[in-house]
Amino acid sequence: MRTFSRFHPFVMLIFFVGVIGVSMFSMNPVVSLMSFIGGLLFRIMLGEHEKLKRELIFYAVLGALVTLTNPIFSHNGETVLFFVNDTPITAESFAYGGAAALMLISALVWFGCFSRVMTSDRIIYLFSGIAPSLGLVLSSALKFVPSMLKKYREIHLVQKTLMNEGESKKSGFYTSVRSFSALVTWAIEHSADASSSMSCRGYSIKGRTSFSLFKFTGKDFLLLIYCLFSFAFMFIVIGRKGAAFLFYPRLVFPSESTGYMIFSGMWIITVMLPVLFELKGELKWKLSN
Amino acid sequence: MKRRILAVVLIFMTVFVTSCSIRSKEDYYNDTNSEPSDGDSVTIEIECSQILENLDSLEKGLEEYIPEDGIILKETEFFIEENESVYSVLKRAARKNHIQLEVQGSEENALGSVYVEGINYLYEFSCGPQSGWRYAVNGEYGGVGCDSYKLSNGDKIEWVYTCELEDFGQ
């Protein structure tokens, strides 16, 4: 199963940094859309569908908000839809807002995949060589939010059972406040505990190694070469504005130069890579059974 | 609880929407009834010929918005009311000639006065880091915001797109 996460953490890091970087800097809705589709398919394969549903609703609301707020601040653009208090509201500013929303959402989806695939042992492994404390901070920070949410649910459940039946909504609010206060206390105590426990285990000592099963194989090497080559190429295209949409004053698509064509092809392959690997793994698993 | 929140949001939105005047493009551009038709007059000209000398630094996609001679609005006469400002005449001129105009209101910036961001899709910083719009009355660049400069009979307003701010105050 989980074929993509069998790659070496370093290669995965490069891959994610590249994909998220290109999605964020291209400012091209077509690129963002491809990135969103690839990321979403990968995210679906990683499971936790209930959570994904909630996330998608959040993304939809966020996207609508970004799209609708842009015309309030930006009035550039040729196609005036109507005037509000003598200020033009233009189709171009809606388009720009939509593109920004798509870019934001695609980056968020990829971050969701990243946090599921890059487990804390991988992050610690990656950073233990160059910056051990940074790796520790990163991995505990990534772990911190979900564990805090879990703890909050626990505390809140207990607090709710302590509340008498039929108590007013006001006391319901107080229950939430009490739970939150307990959560903060727990979080501070927990982090202090964890840090002293870790320093007892020698995490702060220089030269401490940690056990890992990650091996850099030929496959990793191939993927790394592909990533380095394609991301270098894509960032050069982006740097020369070869893939940029012009939004103001009128929408202008990037010219269909050879560079942009190669860029698009490479980008489709790149964002689909994790899904392809997962599919291949799934197929193998099915066939072997 | 949820219903109450929804109701409050809806009320706010209706108040907000009804307090705005929403007009179509045609209605906006055809609404020139309140123009004074006689009395004191000034002339206004909008030009961006400096860009023609600095086409290299112009943002991509804007070339087509620069007239060949650099003059967006040739010198035109406008009748003014008493104490009318440069900004108000610019707004009227833009509306009458269907020229796009975007400004930052006096409450939106630290200057405390209206700041003209873009005319005819040419914005500040569109042609290099020191580019933008400024105005001169009778050949003199004013030291005040365009909504504070009060006009008098026979004044000659020029809106000039500058690519280098160095000659500011000439």
Side-chain angles (χ1 to χ4, degrees):
Chain A
M1 299 290 278
R2 293 277 170 112
T3 324
F4 189 72
S5 40
R6 292 248 283 282
F7 279 106
H8 194 266
F10 180 67
V11 183
M12 287 207 300
L13 183 75
I14 296 282
F15 179 83
F16 277 111
V17 168
V19 167
I20 292 170
V22 173
S23 310
M24 275 166 49
F25 292 113
S26 66
M27 219 32 221
N28 177 327
V30 182
V31 167
S32 306
L33 186 69
M34 288 193 260
S35 161
F36 174 69
I37 293 170
L40 187 68
L41 288 177
F42 185 33
R43 178 65 187 75
I44 289 170
M45 301 198 118
L46 291 174
E48 298 186 53
H49 293 147
E50 274 307 306
K51 215 171 180 183
L52 178 64
K53 247 183 235 164
R54 259 180 288 144
E55 276 170 13
L56 282 179
I57 293 170
F58 169 71
Y59 295 156
V61 173
L62 184 76
L65 214 66
V66 172
T67 314
L68 293 179
T69 37
N70 191 55
I72 298 176
F73 298 105
S74 164
H75 307 289
N76 200 346
E78 256 191 356
T79 327
V80 176
L81 300 174
F82 49 86
F83 280 84
V84 175
N85 291 345
D86 294 352
T87 323
I89 302 294
T90 64
E92 281 82 5
S93 61
F94 273 113
Y96 188 89
L102 204 58
M103 179 200 81
L104 191 69
I105 291 169
S106 65
L108 283 174
V109 169
W110 278 104
F111 269 116
C113 298
F114 177 84
S115 66
R116 271 164 192 85
V117 173
M118 288 297 258
T119 46
S120 60
D121 57 327
R122 286 184 172 83
I123 287 174
I124 290 179
Y125 168 81
L126 272 179
F127 288 97
S128 62
I130 34 170
S133 30
L134 179 68
L136 262 184
V137 168
L138 270 180
S139 77
S140 22
L142 287 175
K143 175 85 177 59
F144 194 61
V145 175
S147 77
M148 234 168 100
L149 284 175
K150 198 174 154 233
K151 191 78 189 171
Y152 178 77
R153 254 172 257 135
E154 271 176 41
I155 297 170
H156 195 68
L157 205 64
V158 175
Q159 288 290 328
K160 258 184 8 202
T161 57
L162 289 174
M163 207 170 88
N164 289 328
E165 189 122 351
E167 259 184 273
S168 66
K169 275 176 182 150
K170 199 172 144 200
S171 67
F173 172 71
Y174 283 127
T175 313
S176 299
V177 172
R178 244 194 340 263
S179 311
F180 186 72
S181 140
L183 178 76
V184 172
T185 315
W186 171 82
I188 293 168
E189 199 176 305
H190 178 78
S191 50
D193 258 0
S195 67
S196 65
S197 154
M198 282 172 109
S199 73
C200 287
R201 285 171 173 79
Y203 271 94
S204 49
I205 297 169
K206 216 181 169 190
R208 182 189 192 278
T209 57
S210 35
F211 174 72
S212 61
L213 282 169
F214 305 119
K215 256 188 210 156
F216 202 87
T217 62
K219 260 181 170 177
D220 292 314
F221 186 71
L222 284 180
L223 183 61
L224 182 66
I225 293 291
Y226 172 77
C227 282
L228 288 180
F229 175 72
S230 63
F231 288 135
F233 178 80
M234 286 193 258
F235 275 114
I236 288 171
V237 172
I238 289 173
R240 305 173 119 210
K241 309 229 159 135
F245 253 65
L246 298 178
F247 289 92
Y248 301 126
R250 182 191 326 150
L251 291 188
V252 179
F253 289 76
S255 60
E256 290 176 1
S257 59
T258 340
Y260 182 55
M261 287 293 144
I262 299 174
F263 176 94
S264 311
M266 253 181 187
W267 182 238
I268 295 177
I269 296 172
T270 311
V271 293
M272 288 301 171
L273 266 184
V275 181
L276 292 179
F277 278 117
E278 293 291 325
L279 279 178
K280 195 186 133 210
E282 205 116 317
L283 207 67
K284 244 186 192 169
W285 175 259
K286 289 246 166 77
L287 287 178
S288 64
N289 280 329
Chain B
M1 191 66 185
K2 257 187 190 166
R3 225 182 242 181
R4 213 177 292 167
I5 293 173
L6 202 70
V8 169
V9 169
L10 272 178
I11 289 170
F12 265 108
M13 280 182 73
T14 14
V15 169
F16 182 70
V17 169
T18 47
S19 67
C20 292
S21 85
I22 298 175
R23 288 193 283 185
S24 73
K25 197 177 169 182
E26 289 73 34
D27 285 350
Y28 174 79
Y29 282 126
N30 293 333
D31 177 23
T32 45
N33 297 333
S34 54
E35 301 265 313
S37 49
D38 56 352
D40 292 355
S41 74
V42 295
T43 63
I44 183 167
E45 183 189 4
I46 305 172
E47 63 109 354
C48 62
S49 51
Q50 266 200 42
I51 297 180
L52 295 170
E53 296 151 27
N54 294 288
L55 279 174
D56 310 338
S57 40
L58 186 69
E59 251 172 46
K60 250 167 67 178
L62 290 176
E63 297 86 354
E64 53 184 297
Y65 296 96
I66 296 157
E68 259 166 50
D69 53 356
I71 293 169
I72 293 169
L73 178 68
K74 64 176 197 308
E75 208 171 325
T76 317
E77 197 174 11
F78 275 87
F79 292 108
I80 52 164
E81 283 162 4
E82 215 175 315
N83 281 333
E84 200 161 347
S85 68
V86 172
Y87 169 59
S88 133
V89 172
L90 172 68
K91 210 172 145 184
R92 274 165 49 193
R95 183 185 283 211
K96 206 167 180 189
N97 297 285
H98 297 205
I99 298 169
Q100 186 260 1
L101 169 70
E102 181 168 353
V103 298
Q104 207 173 42
S106 52
E107 70 286 352
E108 287 173 77
N109 60 29
L111 307 169
S113 66
V114 169
Y115 173 65
V116 174
E117 289 177 293
I119 301 176
N120 197 32
Y121 310 110
L122 304 170
Y123 276 66
E124 50 174 345
F125 314 130
S126 284
C127 189
Q130 292 189 328
S131 60
W133 285 102
R134 57 206 189 101
Y135 73 94
V137 179
N138 301 327
E140 251 178 74
Y141 287 98
V144 293
C146 60
D147 59 333
S148 333
Y149 194 104
K150 301 287 177 253
L151 292 164
S152 43
N153 192 16
D155 276 347
K156 185 175 167 238
I157 312 167
E158 291 164 275
W159 278 93
V160 179
Y161 192 92
T162 179
C163 296
E164 279 149 36
L165 206 61
E166 280 159 59
D167 57 347
F168 190 79
Q170 270 179 16

